[in-house]
Amino acid sequence: MKILVLSLLRLGDAIMLATALRDLRRQYPKARIDILVNKEFSNLVKPFLTNVDQVISFDRKSLQSMIGNPQESILAPYDELKMLISGLNDQDYDLAFNLTQTHLSGMLFSAIKAKKRVGLEALASDRSQFNSPWLKYLNDLSEGGADRVFHYIDIYRYVIGHMIKEKCEFEETDRGREEIAAWLSSVGYTTGPKIILQISTSDEKKNWPVSKWIHAAKTLLLSRPDARIIILGAPSESIVIDSCVVQFKQEGINAIPALLSLEGAFSLLQISDLLVTGDTSIKHLASFSRIAILELALGSSDRRKTGAYKQDALIIHSKIECAPCRHSHPCSQKSFLCQESIDANLVGMSMNALMKRDWQTLRILADEYGDHATLERVHLPEHEYFLLESLRTNESMLSLHDLVDRSAWRFYFSQEHLQPLAKFGSAGVEIKRKIEEIWQQHSPSQVRLQIEELEKRVAEFEFNINEIMVELTHQNKNSSGDQLYPIVSSDFCERIKKIEKQIGWGHSLSEKLKFDDARGIYNHRQLQSAIHQAFQQNQIKLKLLRSVKSALMESI
Amino acid sequence: MNSSSQSLEFIETKSQHRGLKKNGKLVCSSINPVAEAKKWVNKHLDAFTKAESIVVLGIGCGYHLVELENKFEHKKILAIDTSEDIVAFAQTLQGLALSRTKLIHLTSCEDLFKNRIIAQSVRQRYVVASFGSVTHLDHANYQLMQDTLLGRNLQGFSFIIGQRTELKDRIKTLVPVKKVDQRNELLSIKDLANQLDSNYCGLETFIIKALRELVI
């Protein structure tokens, strides 16, 4: 058995695949598993993707340089890429996964031969197909602006389809251990909690100002004077890191720079107590280590999809409306409001509380700073999916809806709900167990009240969506003869707008429906399919909620 | 001796190698042409390593071709020069050292299309490298040959695609998307992608479309 996995995004994305690759290896212990990643990261991820037999490089930069170089033959990049594809096709893969949702990966995937292919592939006439409901979900809902979405790691795991309910951890490498031993002896200390600050990210929108980092560190040091502040960066970031160290020193903080390789950084994470980071590949690496994580989700960083995937990680994010913004779009504000709204005292005090696993203090902080920032605790109930619990008192059970929503999607995609003896009862018990794990501080009767409240909202959504379905059927009946596209009233668009975020499927869905050409017809069909899917998923949700309620009744 | 050969002047370089001037201009280094040749090969080493055949524009004294042969034992090498006398001189000077390199005399692109050896060379992974010490003597002609051999102009595009069996039926070579010569623009992978036969959907199509996605 030979398996190929495509991951052609950035370093963090490749690291996020580790759990899915572990699952894949368990499913096919004797298979040869290869992964195709961008060349610039292939050597970096290799030591951590131990379930992979071969990391194959996709040299995007070389191809781009050939394309842009008039001294190269017009066919030079073609020949180069064809050689890579031929090499892959010579392997005669039995199974291939494309876990990258880009046009490029879709085209490449179509050129790669495999007996079974899962993931985005391009077809003739610029059409494409996903071959997996989970990847279609990723495209339509996750990237389509839906407000309840799965974490990418969960989606990758569902695509692989063999979920192992165990934590996935990386092993330190000898090189990393040696590097960190040398670093420790050069900085000359061993005592006191080690606090790693990952100050620099790849995007200025995600960079919290250095002055705030200094302020936060000062706040922490007031209660933990023995704490050692380490500023972590790659060797290529030496100028930035050195400048940070100088600024910390000017404010009386003796911060230690740690310019390490990825392997060295992982070893440092293993021996340290807390990582405070923005949206970086180090954050993803830390998710597979022992260290506690405090993530500052700023700019385009969408914690729901790429947050620190680690039980009890703490994520602080801004309440500014435009956050998270769109990746690679410039900030729409005059200044980075999401960065400004995160108070340095809050971060400093949260660092101290998180080190002590003092969730009570963190809840108090969440209430106190709740007007501008949200503090969320990461849960991985039974290692099945990622869930964020708001630490603010009156928002704590908001993610109950996410919990039920996730179970409903799993039911829907596995088509379990279509079975004559669908296991709603046992699913209800499972959800109840997860609720008890996450909301230990809530009594069963409190939980039941929340369930009933949620049930009402889900039933209300069913009513709304039912009305829309009736209208859609009516529109279809009336659109015949010369009229190729259905007439969409502004009232109908308004109603769609209200449920847009719940059904996902692209931003400004209601606007898209106004096209009176082929796009309109296409969008209309897409809407029908999205509505139908949302209706079915919502029905499952209702049934699950009723099962949870009965399970709770039994325990009360 | 004809008029063009009268313009040739033989010299001895500082390194005591034989050199040549044409119309008073050097076609190799007057100090050390062998060192110049090594430097030239090293500059293009990556490209040469990847290619199966190497097309060199500018033969001159041929030291760079000897270096190329020595470095790449199994590659197909062909060298083009627009001066018949220079080709003859190189053959005399390097004849024994150049056992695998085909020396070709061409005066224009039209000759290039008729040459079977060149046609065969571009059927596989190839590289075109210009030896500046020679090509500066006839810059415009060599530049046109280079663009043509690289498939960056309309004639070259048709010629190159026509040599590839897997592509010639998939790419519409006769309907150019833009009048390149008028706009003085070189063809790119985008043009190649635009010329794809929309009825065909195979490996070549996906590779070219993937490359189009890489255009920044």
Side-chain angles (χ1 to χ4, degrees):
Chain A
M1 179 87 174
K2 288 182 183 173
I3 303 170
L4 176 71
V5 178
L6 259 74
S7 173
L8 295 176
L9 293 172
R10 284 161 299 178
L11 178 57
D13 298 282
I15 295 172
M16 279 199 283
L17 275 182
T19 315
L21 292 169
R22 186 271 317 261
D23 294 351
L24 188 63
R25 169 59 70 204
R26 293 277 183 94
Q27 191 179 4
Y28 302 103
K30 289 181 181 166
R32 175 202 167 105
I33 302 176
D34 295 343
I35 186 168
L36 181 70
V37 298
N38 282 318
K39 190 183 178 186
E40 54 196 307
F41 310 128
S42 57
N43 283 334
L44 296 174
V45 293
K46 215 173 191 169
F48 300 108
L49 301 184
T50 48
N51 288 302
V52 162
D53 294 292
Q54 197 189 351
V55 177
I56 305 166
S57 295
F58 175 70
D59 199 346
R60 174 195 291 259
K61 282 192 174 168
S62 161
L63 288 169
Q64 280 176 326
S65 135
M66 281 182 186
I67 289 169
N69 183 0
Q71 308 295 314
E72 291 272 11
S73 154
I74 197 163
L75 292 182
Y78 168 83
D79 288 333
E80 176 89 2
L81 188 52
K82 195 176 176 192
M83 196 166 76
L84 172 76
I85 301 285
S86 303
L88 293 172
N89 287 342
D90 287 346
Q91 293 299 322
D92 200 14
Y93 288 106
D94 299 285
L95 179 59
F97 294 95
N98 177 11
L99 298 178
T100 323
Q101 301 279 100
T102 60
H103 288 296
L104 169 68
S105 73
M107 298 295 173
L108 287 178
F109 201 51
S110 297
I112 295 168
K113 285 183 206 155
K115 291 188 182 77
K116 188 182 173 193
R117 293 197 291 197
V118 181
L120 176 68
E121 65 176 307
L123 302 171
S125 320
D126 288 336
R127 287 184 300 116
S128 55
Q129 66 184 28
F130 294 94
N131 307 316
S132 156
W134 284 103
L135 289 172
K136 186 154 181 2
Y137 165 94
L138 178 62
N139 185 70
D140 296 351
L141 281 101
S142 202
E143 300 305 301
D147 56 2
R148 283 176 215 293
V149 290
F150 280 85
H151 196 286
Y152 286 161
I153 291 182
D154 295 330
I155 293 177
Y156 298 151
R157 296 182 74 196
Y158 293 130
V159 173
I160 298 294
H162 185 75
M163 185 163 286
I164 307 294
K165 294 184 180 182
E166 283 170 26
K167 196 175 170 186
C168 182
E169 281 195 340
F170 289 157
E171 293 286 328
E172 271 184 86
T173 63
D174 290 342
R175 265 217 317 239
R177 238 181 251 123
E178 281 164 20
E179 191 179 351
I180 213 61
W183 177 81
L184 277 171
S185 77
S186 73
V187 297
Y189 73 82
T190 49
T191 58
K194 296 178 189 67
I195 317 297
I196 304 173
L197 308 183
Q198 175 78 21
I199 290 180
S200 174
T201 76
S202 56
D203 179 355
E204 64 165 351
K205 289 192 295 183
K206 296 178 184 174
N207 281 343
W208 206 41
V210 177
S211 57
K212 289 211 171 207
W213 283 102
I214 293 171
H215 192 138
K218 275 184 178 173
T219 308
L220 169 75
L221 289 165
L222 284 177
S223 39
R224 290 302 299 260
D226 60 334
R228 308 291 174 182
I229 306 292
I230 299 162
I231 303 182
L232 177 63
S236 59
E237 294 173 313
S238 64
I239 295 173
V240 180
I241 303 299
D242 288 346
S243 151
C244 289
V245 170
V246 170
Q247 291 177 66
F248 271 67
K249 203 158 238 169
Q250 282 165 350
E251 294 293 327
I253 301 171
N254 185 26
I256 322 262
L259 297 169
L260 301 169
S261 70
L262 209 62
E263 290 169 76
F266 183 73
S267 291
L268 177 64
L269 293 168
Q270 286 291 65
I271 57 160
S272 300
D273 301 86
L274 175 69
L275 168 72
V276 190
T277 178
D279 187 20
T280 61
S281 45
I282 290 292
K283 172 188 81 179
H284 297 301
L285 198 64
S287 300
F288 297 94
S289 77
R290 290 191 285 266
I291 199 168
I293 307 172
L294 193 164
E295 176 185 352
L296 301 175
L298 303 169
S300 59
S301 168
D302 190 336
R303 70 212 189 281
R304 302 167 307 159
K305 300 174 189 172
T306 60
Y309 198 89
K310 190 169 201 300
Q311 178 67 43
D312 294 336
L314 177 70
I315 301 180
I316 301 180
H317 69 98
S318 165
K319 284 208 153 170
I320 298 290
E321 239 177 61
C322 57
C325 53
R326 291 187 74 183
H327 182 66
S328 66
H329 280 227
C331 178
S332 61
Q333 309 291 340
K334 281 182 184 163
S335 58
F336 298 118
L337 296 181
C338 57
Q339 298 174 10
E340 290 162 18
S341 64
I342 307 283
D343 191 290
N345 281 325
L346 166 68
V347 175
M349 288 187 280
S350 300
M351 284 157 76
N352 186 32
L354 185 60
M355 274 203 296
K356 294 190 282 185
R357 308 291 190 269
D358 180 357
W359 294 102
Q360 193 47 43
T361 299
L362 286 165
R363 286 180 202 285
I364 293 167
L365 289 171
D367 284 337
E368 201 174 318
Y369 289 87
D371 290 342
H372 303 291
T374 301
L375 273 72
E376 288 171 319
R377 180 182 184 177
V378 173
H379 292 279
L380 306 173
E382 298 178 355
H383 297 289
E384 277 190 337
Y385 40 71
F386 175 93
L387 199 83
L388 289 166
E389 176 207 3
S390 169
L391 294 180
R392 212 173 170 189
T393 313
N394 58 358
E395 292 174 355
S396 169
M397 290 209 73
L398 282 183
S399 44
L400 180 67
H401 196 162
D402 293 328
L403 185 74
V404 180
D405 193 70
R406 279 155 178 60
S407 299
W409 278 120
R410 292 179 61 197
F411 242 72
Y412 179 69
F413 288 140
S414 64
Q415 302 205 320
E416 169 72 26
H417 63 295
L418 301 177
Q419 303 298 318
L421 293 170
K423 293 172 185 163
F424 285 102
S426 51
V429 172
E430 219 176 86
I431 294 172
K432 177 187 158 262
R433 208 167 52 224
K434 288 182 173 118
I435 290 172
E436 285 165 351
E437 184 186 324
I438 298 166
W439 290 282
Q440 289 167 9
Q441 76 274 26
H442 289 68
S443 68
S445 52
Q446 275 177 312
V447 172
R448 203 180 136 220
L449 272 176
Q450 293 290 333
I451 294 278
E452 281 168 356
E453 186 57 39
L454 180 56
E455 197 183 344
K456 265 189 230 164
R457 274 189 285 145
V458 173
E460 194 184 328
F461 179 72
E462 188 180 53
F463 177 78
N464 289 336
I465 210 161
N466 234 332
E467 272 197 329
I468 289 168
M469 283 175 81
V470 170
E471 174 104 1
L472 276 170
T473 317
H474 182 69
Q475 282 175 1
N476 281 347
K477 276 184 189 162
N478 290 342
S479 61
S480 55
D482 296 340
Q483 188 199 324
L484 290 170
Y485 54 89
I487 296 169
V488 180
S489 68
S490 53
D491 168 60
F492 182 67
C493 282
E494 279 308 306
R495 276 191 283 148
I496 294 288
K497 210 168 194 170
K498 281 182 192 160
I499 60 158
E500 244 171 25
K501 288 217 159 197
Q502 280 157 288
I503 61 171
W505 193 76
H507 300 272
S508 308
L509 176 59
S510 48
E511 288 305 308
K512 284 181 181 174
L513 288 176
K514 290 178 185 167
F515 291 126
D516 58 356
D517 55 13
R519 282 175 302 171
I521 302 168
Y522 175 76
N523 289 341
H524 203 266
R525 282 188 195 142
Q526 292 285 307
L527 171 70
Q528 276 183 311
S529 148
I531 292 280
H532 181 72
Q533 180 173 275
F535 176 76
Q536 290 206 319
Q537 193 256 2
N538 201 64
Q539 280 197 322
I540 297 170
K541 240 195 262 187
L542 263 180
K543 285 183 185 169
L544 288 174
L545 279 167
R546 282 164 196 158
S547 300
V548 179
K549 225 164 62 173
S550 359
L552 280 167
M553 284 291 281
E554 280 171 27
S555 68
I556 290 170
Chain B
M1 198 175 272
N2 60 31
S3 60
S4 67
S5 63
Q6 279 170 358
S7 65
L8 292 184
E9 182 190 336
F10 306 109
I11 59 158
E12 189 174 274
T13 65
K14 284 190 179 170
S15 56
Q16 297 185 331
H17 290 95
R18 287 185 71 188
L20 189 68
K21 275 184 178 179
K22 179 165 173 142
N23 297 331
K25 291 178 180 170
L26 283 161
V27 298
C28 67
S29 163
S30 63
I31 299 163
N32 188 340
V34 174
E36 179 194 36
K38 283 183 195 296
K39 200 175 162 189
W40 179 81
V41 171
N42 284 334
K43 187 183 158 195
H44 297 95
L45 202 59
D46 281 351
F48 291 153
T49 308
K50 284 179 186 172
E52 286 167 73
S53 61
I54 301 168
V55 182
V56 180
L57 293 176
I59 292 174
C61 301
Y63 292 107
H64 58 301
L65 303 174
V66 175
E67 180 64 21
L68 206 53
E69 263 202 21
N70 291 341
K71 206 122 195 171
F72 300 101
E73 284 179 14
H74 304 291
K75 296 205 192 276
K76 194 174 186 179
I77 303 167
L78 53 114
I80 298 168
D81 207 296
T82 56
S83 162
E84 198 172 2
D85 302 323
I86 287 185
V87 177
F89 172 74
Q91 252 158 358
T92 314
L93 182 65
Q94 312 288 4
L96 290 173
L98 291 176
S99 57
R100 290 179 294 111
T101 305
K102 306 270 182 224
L103 303 183
I104 302 168
H105 167 238
L106 297 177
T107 50
S108 68
C109 280
E110 298 308 318
D111 293 347
L112 192 148
F113 299 136
K114 290 176 207 154
N115 193 298
R116 271 191 328 139
I117 302 170
I118 294 175
Q120 277 170 2
S121 297
V122 298
R123 280 181 201 149
Q124 52 204 331
R125 257 184 130 193
Y126 70 101
V127 61
V128 180
S130 174
F131 189 67
S133 297
V134 178
T135 54
H136 77 107
L137 298 176
D138 190 5
H139 179 74
N141 209 6
Y142 278 116
Q143 186 62 56
L144 187 61
M145 278 190 193
Q146 179 166 342
D147 291 344
T148 305
L149 280 168
L150 295 174
R152 297 283 182 172
N153 58 28
L154 287 179
Q155 283 185 310
F157 183 80
S158 301
F159 173 66
I160 299 298
I161 299 298
Q163 307 311 316
R164 301 288 185 107
T165 45
E166 85 273 26
L167 288 177
K168 66 180 176 188
D169 297 330
R170 315 293 178 215
I171 311 276
K172 294 174 273 179
T173 53
L174 298 173
V175 193
V177 280
K178 55 185 178 186
K179 291 182 177 174
V180 177
D181 295 337
Q182 283 176 15
R183 287 169 51 177
N184 199 24
E185 278 178 23
L186 295 175
L187 290 170
S188 71
I189 203 79
K190 272 188 180 174
D191 301 303
L192 188 57
N194 287 339
Q195 297 298 90
L196 282 169
D197 180 352
S198 56
N199 297 319
Y200 175 70
C201 192
L203 179 75
E204 299 80 20
T205 316
F206 292 123
I207 292 177
I208 292 169
K209 283 186 173 178
L211 291 168
R212 186 182 58 186
E213 293 296 326
L214 285 170
V215 176
I216 301 167

